[in-house]
């Protein structure tokens, strides 16, 4: 049991509030700011991050040595519901920064169903099975904000049978998950629990807990990236794509998050209400949508007043007017007929009158409303869960049906056939003013326009977009612009300078217009490259004089003149005879092989020409002279960084293979490496935020003659992390503010108009589980026995790997070492030729190249 009273590691239980959801939203900016402040101050989260990064470094060292199976998972992220969705985005960002790091995100229920049952549950439709992933010694991160979710808690125990490297993200240090992890063997100061400090939050709609977990995972990502980028070996093993410059930009963007959240939530730094323009807009939009939901009970109430009044008074309007004007006899029945029609369609009549009075669309469908939320997966799913829980206890004819989808993927396929008059569509738009996000916003806009263009009786759905780009789509009814607090990126700076130089203005900031602007920038960069071609004529003439061709052909920019023969174009073999297709394909492959051989020959010639002292390697002076001659002027520090990155073995010189890899590298990757530093990371090391006037200012100074578009592409990872770690979080909080205003107005209507007879709370659901725990569909009855079985199997597999590795090494050593003059491997002595087989191959070579299964002394299944 966890002691709650007097426990310094458990925050005080909050006092009950009239609206727990509103309190969570008002506390949200302060909690997110406190997480970053605590990290800077060196709290327990920093110690846990240091332990996590060291564990991951040891794991990467084993992978570099080839001591891990091919299906071994380096980093496992698991959890349930909202915690899992936030963790999946963290895993995706981790994979973006380190493509060769094997990262997996999976539901805790799936892990429990596969490895925690005597008879495992098949995960139909999901690419995970018992033998697909090797979880031995993996670094596992269990995300559970409550710290008591059954599935996550059970998996924390289950994984101890496979790996000791288990960490958790929770709201409090002294939680049930934390208690499980503290039972593991650990050295002093080896903490395993990350905490958000949010404490117990009684409201079931998750807003603060989701945002706090996301912010904390951003801090963890920053620290892990810092540790890996500062190590040359770790960068090579993980194929690291993030640099110190991108990390500084991410940190700078993340530091603007608390202020942005305060403006979105409408609170001051001290937590008091302080409405801003964006918070008022969100609340007003939510209340406007609440009018759509409330029209049914309002129409019912007006109908009740009409029926009670007319029946009690014995006065119906049309019949009474007919009698007043002297209508009688059979003609009076006509008046009674029309009064009957009024009673039949009274609800529809009252609904139409309400819409006319409120100025809302008259031709919307009458009945229940559906709300579709479109955004990146974690935002859409968490916002759907938030809104559906707010209406969990609502009355049937004043409720909403909530759906979510990804507008960049399946929103069109899953939701557009459900578009009807009056459906409500809310989509979050990425910031398309950045090149890396322009296509993403364009896809969202296309999906939104497709849904908004489906009409019936001249009316379509009511669509709303939320994003940082101020452009409003013509087919949407509303757009809410979120404040932008980040500095500009290089692309935005270049566009501003270009339009200022030519005294022009951009037509608009729409995604399609921005895409055109960036394509124009790319064309201008191509023209700049053509101008720079004149600067490398000297080295081309030198190479041609040596018979080595041109630098253009060596760098892969081949023409027919450079290659000496026409280039072979691929042929679509579906439209030619099979025998001709085979012949053409053979010719094409021959041409590719010839191209590779010729390119390698010319690259070798350039290497020899640059290698002035002919020692088979390039010094820094030789490298810098050649690079300046081929690419233009770069600063000495920039050249030094490029050289150090190309020097993979750290020998101080570049051999031919390192030189070839450098030439083959993508220009944007080469530019990105300018911001990488190799150094040790300790407990006091933190990511320093960028202090540039605009993101990429230092990179521009290091490579002044580099085409603008290449510099822009070097910021791709930074832009994507801004979207996934910062911009998407702000959109999620904006959705929460809007949906809370919607749900709160609907819930407040009932006690006001029924004199307190009917009421419900938006912070509760009928499950009455709150967020203290969440049930699991998978049983944990066999957990203890499965833990023992997994621990025994893991120990056996470790022993098998150790014995197998030792045996192979011993056999190799025995084959290479003669004993007392005795013949080894066919009788060969030192100084005598190594025996060869019938086919002339070296016997030792054949021994070492045998299939791994033939050299094992044991089988894993024995």
């Amino acid at each position: 049991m966890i002691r709650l009273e007097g426990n310094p590691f458990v925050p005080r239980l909050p006092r009950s509030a009239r609206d727990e959801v509103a309190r969570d939203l008002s506390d949200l900016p302060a909690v997110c700011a406190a997480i970053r402040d605590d990290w800077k101050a060196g709290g327990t989260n920093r110690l846990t991050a240091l332990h996590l990064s060291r564990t991951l470094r040891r794991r990467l060292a084993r992978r570099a040595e080839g001591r891990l199976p091919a299906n071994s998972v380096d980093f496992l992220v698991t959890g349930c519901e909202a915690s899992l969705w936030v963790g999946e985005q963290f895993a995706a960002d981790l994979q973006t920064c380190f493509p060769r790091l094997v990262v997996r995100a999976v539901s805790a229920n799936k892990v429990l169903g596969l490895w925690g049952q005597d008879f495992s549950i098949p995960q139909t439709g999901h690419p995970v099975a018992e033998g697909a992933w090797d979880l031995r010694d993996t670094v596992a991160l269990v995300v559970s904000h409550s710290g008591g979710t059954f599935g996550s808690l059970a998996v924390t125990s289950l994984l101890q049978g496979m790996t000791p490297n288990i960490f958790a993200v929770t709201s409090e240090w002294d939680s049930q998950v934390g208690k499980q992890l503290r039972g593991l063997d650990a050295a002093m100061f080896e903490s395993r629990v990350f905490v958000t400090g949010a404490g117990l939050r009684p409201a079931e709609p998750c807003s603060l807990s989701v945002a706090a977990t996301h912010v904390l995972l951003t801090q963890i990502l920053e620290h892990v990236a810092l540790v890996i980028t500062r190590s040359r070996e770790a960068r090579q093993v993980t194929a690291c794509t993030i640099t110190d410059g991108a990390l500084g930009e991410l940190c700078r963007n993340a530091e603007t998050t608390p202020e942005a959240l305060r403006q979105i939530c409408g609170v001051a730094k001290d937590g008091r209400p302080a409405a801003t323009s964006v918070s008022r807009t969100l609340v007003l939009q939510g209340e406007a949508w609440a009018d759509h939901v409330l029209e049914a009970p309002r129409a019912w109430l007006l109908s009740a007043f009409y029926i009670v009044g007319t029946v009690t008074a014995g006065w119906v309007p049309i019949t009474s007017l007919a009698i007043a004007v002297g209508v009688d006899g059979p003609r009076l029945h006509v008046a009674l007929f029309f009064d009957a029609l009024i009673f039949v369609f009274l609800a529809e009549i009252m609904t139409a009158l309400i819409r006319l009075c409120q100025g809302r669309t008259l031709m919307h469908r009458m009945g229940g409303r559906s709300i579709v939320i479109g955004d990146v997966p974690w935002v859409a799913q968490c916002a759907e869960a938030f809104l559906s829980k707010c209406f969990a206890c609502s009355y049937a004819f004043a409720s909403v049906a909530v759906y979510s989808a990804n507008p960049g993927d399946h929103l069109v396929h899953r939701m557009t056939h459900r578009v009807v008059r009056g459906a409500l569509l809310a989509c979050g738009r990425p910031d398309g003013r950045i090149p890396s996000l322009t296509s993403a916003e364009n896809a969202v806009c296309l999906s939104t326009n497709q849904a908004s263009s489906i009409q019936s009786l001249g009316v379509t759905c009511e669509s709303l977009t939320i994003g940082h780009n101020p452009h409003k789509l013509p087919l949407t009814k509303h757009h809410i612009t979120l404040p932008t607090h980040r500095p500009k990126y290089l692309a935005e700076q270049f566009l501003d300078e270009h339009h200022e130089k030519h005294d022009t203005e951009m037509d608009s900031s729409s995604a399609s217009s921005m895409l055109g602007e960036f394509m124009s920038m790319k064309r201008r960069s191509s023209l700049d490259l053509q101008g720079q071609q004149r600067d490398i004529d000297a080295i081309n003439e030198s190479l041609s004089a040596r018979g080595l061709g041109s630098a253009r052909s060596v760098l892969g920019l081949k023409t027919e003149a450079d290659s000496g023969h026409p280039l072979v174009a691929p042929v679509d073999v579906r439209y030619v005879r099979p025998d001709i297709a085979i012949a053409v394909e053979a010719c094409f492959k021959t041409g590719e092989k010839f191209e590779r051989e010729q390119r390698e020959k010319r690259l070798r010639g350039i290497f020899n020409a640059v290698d002035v002292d002919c020692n088979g390697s390039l010094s820094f002076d030789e490298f810098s002279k050649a690079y300046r001659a081929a690419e233009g002027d770069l600063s000495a520090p920039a050249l030094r960084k490029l050289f150090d990155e190309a020097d993979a073995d750290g020998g101080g010189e570049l051999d031919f293979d390192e030189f070839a890899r450098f030439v083959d590298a993508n220009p944007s990757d080469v530019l990105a490496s300018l911001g990488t530093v190799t150094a040790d990371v300790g407990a006091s090391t933190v990511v320093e935020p960028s202090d540039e006037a605009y993101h990429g200012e230092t990179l521009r100074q290091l490579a002044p003659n580099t085409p603008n578009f290449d510099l822009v592409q070097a910021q791709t990872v930074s832009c994507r992390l801004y979207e996934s770690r910062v911009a998407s979080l702000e959109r999620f909080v904006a959705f929460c503010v809007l949906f809370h205003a919607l749900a709160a107005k609907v819930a407040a209507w009932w006690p006001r108009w029924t004199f307190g007879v009917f009421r419900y709370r938006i912070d509760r659901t009928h499950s009455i589980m709150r967020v203290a725990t969440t049930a699991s569909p998978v049983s944990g009855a066999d957990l203890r026995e499965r833990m023992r079985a997994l621990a025994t199997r893991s120990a056996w597999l470790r022993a098998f790997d150790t014995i197998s590795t030792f045996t192979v090494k011993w056999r190799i050593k025995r084959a290479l070492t003669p004993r007392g003059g005795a013949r080894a491997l066919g009788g060969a002595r030192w100084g005598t030729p190594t025996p060869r087989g019938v086919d002339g191959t070296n016997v030792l070579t054949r021994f070492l190249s045998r299939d791994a299964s033939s050299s094992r002394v044991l089988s894993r299944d024995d």
Side-chain angles (χ1 to χ4, degrees):
M1 299 295 291
I2 301 298
R3 184 164 56 93
L4 300 180
E5 295 293 336
N7 191 334
F9 297 104
V10 177
R12 279 185 149 215
L13 295 177
R15 293 182 179 178
S16 60
R18 178 177 299 178
D19 189 345
E20 298 285 357
V21 180
R23 182 171 63 178
D24 283 356
L25 290 174
S26 63
D27 292 345
L28 190 149
V31 172
C32 293
I35 292 173
R36 295 193 62 85
D37 294 339
D38 176 75
W39 194 282
K40 291 179 181 179
T44 57
N45 285 336
R46 282 267 295 281
L47 288 177
T48 309
L50 182 63
H51 184 200
L52 171 65
S53 58
R54 286 177 176 174
T55 303
L56 186 58
R57 284 278 298 273
R58 289 194 296 268
R59 172 85 184 182
L60 295 178
R62 293 180 59 195
R63 182 167 290 282
E65 296 169 359
R67 295 165 53 194
L68 295 178
N71 64 339
S72 182
V73 176
D74 294 323
F75 205 104
L76 177 69
V77 181
T78 185
C80 293
E81 205 211 14
S83 297
L84 173 65
W85 302 329
V86 176
E88 286 175 338
Q89 183 59 60
F90 170 76
D93 294 333
L94 203 60
Q95 193 75 79
T96 298
C97 297
F98 313 107
R100 291 182 188 169
L101 189 70
V102 183
V103 184
R104 298 289 183 266
V106 64
S107 168
N109 293 326
K110 289 185 175 63
V111 176
L112 193 60
L114 279 175
W115 286 280
Q117 310 293 310
D118 287 337
F119 299 95
S120 62
I121 301 175
Q123 303 303 316
T124 306
H126 298 276
V128 55
E130 295 94 322
W133 296 352
D134 188 342
L135 300 182
R136 285 180 298 148
D137 298 328
T138 188
V139 180
L141 183 65
V142 181
V143 185
S144 174
H145 193 266
S146 65
T149 303
F150 179 83
S152 302
L153 185 61
V155 165
T156 303
S157 301
L158 180 68
L159 289 176
Q160 295 178 26
M162 293 181 280
T163 175
N165 308 320
I166 307 174
F167 299 84
V169 173
T170 183
S171 61
E172 303 167 350
W173 189 82
D174 199 2
S175 60
Q176 292 291 340
V177 171
K179 182 180 179 182
Q180 288 279 357
L181 296 182
R182 288 196 304 274
L184 296 176
D185 295 333
M188 186 176 293
F189 302 122
E190 284 190 350
S191 174
R192 298 176 181 273
V193 181
F194 294 96
V195 295
T196 63
L200 175 64
R201 293 288 165 173
E204 292 192 59
C206 300
S207 56
L208 186 149
S209 57
V210 171
T213 302
H214 187 82
V215 170
L216 181 55
L217 289 175
T218 300
Q219 296 296 125
I220 298 172
L221 177 66
E222 288 181 11
H223 189 83
V224 171
L226 178 66
V227 171
I228 293 181
T229 55
R230 294 295 175 88
S231 169
R232 182 189 303 275
E233 295 76 12
R235 290 200 301 269
Q236 293 173 355
V237 172
T238 60
C240 178
T241 60
I242 190 172
T243 63
D244 284 350
L247 263 180
E249 292 166 2
L250 172 61
C251 184
R252 174 81 174 274
N253 293 334
E255 284 192 340
T256 66
T257 299
E259 177 60 30
L261 297 182
R262 278 192 285 269
Q263 293 190 23
I264 293 172
C265 296
V267 296
K269 287 187 176 181
D270 56 3
R272 292 181 299 177
T276 61
S277 59
V278 63
S279 67
R280 282 192 293 267
T281 303
L282 290 168
V283 171
L284 290 176
Q285 185 59 53
E287 293 177 347
W289 278 14
D291 290 333
H292 291 319
V293 180
L294 286 172
E295 69 179 11
R298 284 170 173 167
W300 169 82
L301 188 62
L302 291 177
S303 300
F305 288 156
Y306 179 87
I307 295 172
V308 171
T310 55
V311 173
T312 302
W315 184 89
V316 286
I318 297 179
T319 302
S320 300
L321 289 175
I323 294 174
V325 297
V327 176
D328 57 0
R331 290 181 297 176
L332 187 61
H333 292 283
V334 176
L336 292 172
F337 173 76
F338 283 105
D339 275 324
L341 287 181
I342 292 177
F343 281 106
V344 171
F345 297 102
L346 188 57
E348 287 76 7
I349 295 172
M350 293 302 178
T351 300
L353 290 175
I354 291 172
R355 291 178 180 179
L356 288 173
C357 294
Q358 294 180 340
R360 295 187 292 115
T361 305
L362 185 62
M363 298 303 294
H364 279 184
R365 277 191 177 185
M366 297 181 184
R369 296 281 178 159
S370 298
I371 298 180
V372 179
I373 305 169
D375 210 312
V376 294
W378 83 266
V379 174
Q381 291 170 304
C382 290
E384 177 194 0
F386 177 86
L387 180 57
S388 60
K389 290 180 179 178
C390 285
F391 278 92
C393 295
S394 63
Y395 300 106
F397 68 130
S399 186
V400 294
V402 188
Y403 308 94
S404 67
N406 184 356
D409 183 11
H410 53 256
L411 184 143
V412 171
H413 308 290
R414 290 182 54 194
M415 297 298 167
T416 49
H417 65 279
R418 304 183 186 184
V419 173
V420 296
R421 292 174 284 114
L424 306 178
L425 173 63
C427 283
R429 286 165 43 190
D431 193 350
R433 297 172 296 178
I434 306 174
S436 300
L437 305 177
T438 304
S439 296
E441 186 185 17
N442 211 19
V444 174
C445 293
L446 181 60
S447 297
T448 306
N449 286 333
Q450 287 177 335
S452 302
S453 62
I454 300 173
Q455 296 187 6
S456 174
L457 301 179
V459 181
T460 181
C461 65
E462 184 173 324
S463 53
L464 158 75
T465 56
I466 297 177
H468 296 81
N469 191 340
H471 176 74
K472 178 185 176 299
L473 298 180
L475 294 181
T476 60
K477 188 170 184 179
H478 310 283
H479 174 66
I480 300 177
T481 304
L482 302 181
T484 301
H485 295 273
R486 61 165 176 82
K488 293 181 178 179
Y489 276 92
L490 273 175
E492 300 168 288
Q493 182 68 21
F494 287 148
L495 288 180
D496 290 346
E497 293 176 359
H498 173 76
H499 288 289
E500 182 179 357
K501 178 180 178 181
H502 295 83
D503 195 20
T504 58
E505 294 183 359
M506 287 187 294
D507 295 336
S508 69
S509 62
S510 65
S512 56
S513 298
M514 297 304 300
L515 192 60
E517 293 280 355
F518 296 139
M519 291 301 295
S520 300
M521 180 191 299
K522 185 176 182 180
R523 286 193 293 270
R524 290 194 296 269
S525 298
S526 300
L527 294 176
D528 293 340
L529 280 175
Q530 294 177 8
Q532 291 180 9
Q533 181 64 30
R534 305 187 196 96
D535 299 333
I536 63 173
D537 287 341
I539 190 171
N540 283 339
E541 293 176 1
S542 174
L543 295 174
S544 299
R546 296 169 179 260
L548 301 175
S550 65
R552 181 179 178 85
S553 64
V554 172
L555 294 175
L557 305 174
K558 294 183 179 299
T559 62
E560 292 187 9
D562 292 331
S563 60
H565 64 277
L567 297 179
V568 182
V571 177
D572 194 337
V573 298
R574 295 175 297 174
Y575 305 105
V576 296
R577 286 169 42 192
D579 54 343
I580 298 178
I582 295 173
V584 171
E585 186 69 16
C587 293
F588 180 59
K589 292 182 178 179
T590 304
E592 286 184 333
K593 181 179 180 182
F594 176 79
E595 289 289 335
R596 289 195 299 269
E597 292 175 351
Q598 290 296 315
R599 187 172 186 277
E600 183 176 354
K601 178 180 178 181
R602 292 176 179 176
L603 190 57
R604 173 67 72 173
I606 288 185
F607 180 82
N608 294 335
V610 176
D611 184 15
V612 179
D613 54 8
C614 301
N615 64 345
S617 59
L618 301 183
S619 64
F620 174 69
D621 292 337
E622 295 169 338
F623 171 82
S624 59
K625 290 178 181 178
Y627 194 86
R628 284 197 175 106
E631 298 288 342
D633 293 331
L634 282 179
S635 62
L639 284 175
R640 187 76 234 185
K641 289 180 180 179
L642 292 180
F643 182 83
D644 291 340
E645 274 303 306
D647 184 16
D649 57 6
E653 293 185 338
L654 301 184
D655 57 23
F656 175 73
D657 293 335
E658 294 170 337
F659 177 75
R661 284 194 296 269
F662 173 76
V663 172
D664 291 336
N666 190 301
S668 60
D669 295 337
V670 174
L671 290 173
S673 65
L674 295 178
T676 302
V677 177
T678 301
D680 292 331
V681 177
S684 60
T685 308
V686 295
V687 178
E688 295 296 335
S690 169
D691 58 354
E692 300 169 322
Y694 55 87
H695 289 327
E697 182 182 17
T698 303
L699 179 62
R700 189 180 186 184
Q701 294 172 355
L702 290 173
N705 295 329
T706 303
N708 290 348
F709 196 74
D710 288 345
L711 293 174
V712 168
Q713 284 186 313
Q715 291 188 308
T716 298
V717 174
S718 176
C719 296
R720 291 176 179 174
L721 290 178
Y722 162 72
E723 159 62 18
S724 61
R725 307 310 311 171
V726 180
S728 60
L729 171 63
E730 295 176 10
R731 293 199 303 272
F732 167 72
V733 176
F735 278 128
C736 290
V737 173
L738 187 150
F739 293 148
H740 169 259
L742 162 63
K745 183 174 181 178
V746 173
W749 185 89
W750 289 98
R752 183 185 303 120
W753 289 94
T754 62
F755 305 101
V757 176
F758 296 104
R759 66 173 64 241
Y760 66 90
R761 299 183 60 172
I762 64 174
D763 60 333
R764 296 289 184 267
T765 68
H766 290 295
S767 64
I768 318 177
M769 290 185 181
R770 306 189 183 181
V771 294
T773 183
T774 303
S776 171
V778 183
S779 172
D782 304 327
L783 186 62
R784 183 167 300 180
E785 291 75 12
R786 293 298 301 167
M787 283 177 58
R788 294 195 185 100
L790 289 173
T792 303
R793 177 175 173 79
S794 297
W796 159 249
L797 292 177
R798 291 190 189 97
F800 168 80
D801 290 338
T802 302
I803 296 173
S804 180
T805 302
F806 174 79
T807 303
V808 172
K809 291 181 178 179
W810 174 77
R811 294 181 66 181
I812 294 174
K813 182 177 180 181
R814 182 183 179 188
L816 295 175
T817 305
R819 294 173 296 175
R823 298 167 64 84
L825 276 182
R829 295 177 181 270
W830 290 116
T832 62
T834 305
R836 296 183 176 273
V838 177
D839 57 353
T841 58
N842 188 296
V843 174
L844 181 59
T845 303
R846 287 189 297 163
F847 171 79
L848 295 177
S849 62
R850 288 188 303 175
D851 186 78
S853 60
S854 64
S855 62
R856 288 179 178 169
V857 295
L858 294 173
S859 170
R860 287 175 173 263
D861 297 328
D862 288 344

